[in-house]
Each structure stands twice: as structure tokens, then as C-alpha cells.
Amino acid sequence: MQNPCMTVHEATDEFLLYLGSVRGLSEHTVLSYRNDLLQFENMLSSAGDITQITAEDIRQCIGHLSKLHRASASINRFIAAVRSLFAYCKKNQYIQKNPALEIKTVKLPKRLPRFMTGAEVDKLCAEPLRDELLWQTRDTALFEMLYSSGCRVSEIASLTLDDFADGYESAIVTGKGKKDRWVYFAEEAQKALKAYLADRKARFGEKDRERAVFVNQRGTKLSVGGISYILSRYSGVEGTNHHVSPHAFRHTFATAMLANGADVRMVQELLGHSSISTTQRYTHINTQSLIEMYNKAHPHGGAKGK
């Protein structure tokens, strides 16, 4: 039975409760929905009966975000949140017609993933040993393992000592959608990890009870934010002065594997991509690199006169 008295605010509160308690979404995800839907409520000229909201009202909100020069990805996230709210209301018969069905997402600019060259990644991996900004052995192992495995930063942060098999050659990680997969570590990464674990044992001794592989200098699990901070120090002005995000290691891993002849489906499995089209973005990087190299080397490529 339709409820004509439900406001946008009331519907939002109920929807957010549903996301957290019934759908079991993370606190971070629910907060993201809350922020977008709060924007939606604040931008509406009237935040009364939700049955009175039209597709044109939603379009005006999107237009306002565009005037504020919000990124296309942010606008699409906003649209997704609004769509989900109205789908929930339609399912529960709070509205008879879903106005959000008429709303289309905005076109995203095509951007190739940011990756490092071989020389850049080698320099960054060597940086902790060159200049001890934080913790030499830990940070070397961290960078080597990110590059060697192609793991997401969240997967490395969640990696425990119990996840390894065959010594330190491989480990099982839980990726997006709570899907488990095997990842592998090259010899340099294994060597760096063993040096770090020996150093960690010497630092904390019997007090070291943490099962997470990477810990902070107090001996507790290193967070995703902590890993990002470490990388920002070594890739900032104190280090290579060529800032990169932790995800750049993953992009570099994929690019290097494909450039050296790895099958795209194998790389898809190693990265934990649900769709092969996501993995194929990295073949575009290789094509672009070839074009740039051609233009630089060919007599009529146009680079010599610049």
C-alpha cells in the first residue's frame, strides 16, 4: 500500500538502514550513499512527499552538480545512489512510478590506467634501502610484493601470515565480491619479505602477536591509509619526486605481464577481474606505447622537430 506521507528524508533513513542491516554493506559504502542522498535532499526545491519528485527534479540536481564542475564519476555515483533509493521505494510501494528510470548516466572520459615504466618501478622499489624514511625492510617488502603480485592495496593490507602456501611463493587473497584467488610472489619479493619478517621479529620479539603481514611501527596491522602514506613519502619530494598511488603497482604489473607475452585471460585471473574487458585496457596501453615509440623513432614521426 502506497504511503503518501513519506518524505525524501524519511525514505533515505529507511533505505540506509536497509543497506547496512539487510544488505550488509560496509560502513564506508553506506556513508557514501548517505553523502550522495543528503546532497540530493538539499538540492531539491521541495523535500516533501517523495511521490511528488519527478525525473525533471533529478535532472536539475544533476545539472547543478555539473555546474559545480563535479567529476563525471562522482555524478554517476550520485545517479546510482538516487536510482537505488527510488528502486527501494518502488519495491516497497512507497511510490507508484519510479522517476529515476528515465535518468541516464553521464559519459565518462576514456582514461588509460596510470602505470610506471620498468626503470621507474625499479627506482621506487630501491628507494627505501637508499633513504630510510620510515622502515627500510618493511617498505622494500611492501613495494616488491605489490609489484610482484598485482594485488589491490586492500588485499595486501588484509594479507596474513596464514594465507601463504609453499613458503612465500604464493598466497590466497580475498578480492572484490569476496572471491578468493591465488597470487604469486617473485624471488625478489620473497627475499624482501623474509628480510622484513626477520627484522620484525627482532623488533617485537615475543610481543609480536599480529597475524597481518604488514604492521606499523607499533606492531599493529597497517591500514590501507597507512600504505598510501608510506608510498607518498617515498614517491614524494623526499624520495623519487614522482608521486604515484598504490594502484599504480597493479597497473604496472598488468602492463608488464601483457607486454611480455602473458595470455590476457591468465592476467585476468591473476588480477581477479570479473570481466576480461577490464583486463584488456592494458593492451591499449601497449598499443599507445608502440605509437609513441614509433613517432619518436621514425624520421617522419614528428618528434624530432619539437
Side-chain angles (χ1 to χ4, degrees), residues 114 228 231-237 240-246 248:
R114 169 73 176 92
S228 296
L231 183 55
S232 72
R233 291 287 300 274
Y234 286 104
S235 65
V237 293
T240 62
N241 201 24
H242 187 72
H243 180 74
V244 293
S245 71

Side-chain angles (χ1 to χ4, degrees), residues 5-30:
C5 300
M6 178 166 280
T7 65
V8 174
H9 183 78
E10 290 168 340
T12 297
D13 280 349
E14 184 178 310
F15 173 61
L16 294 173
L17 183 62
Y18 161 78
L19 292 180
S21 60
V22 179
R23 291 278 307 280
L25 299 187
S26 70
E27 184 179 343
H28 176 78
T29 301
V30 174

Side-chain angles (χ1 to χ4, degrees), residues 110-131:
K110 290 186 177 180
R111 293 179 181 174
L112 293 172
R114 169 73 176 92
F115 71 102
M116 294 177 276
T117 64
E120 287 171 341
V121 74
D122 288 344
K123 184 177 181 181
L124 184 54
C125 286
E127 194 63 26
L129 295 178
R130 188 190 70 81
D131 188 2

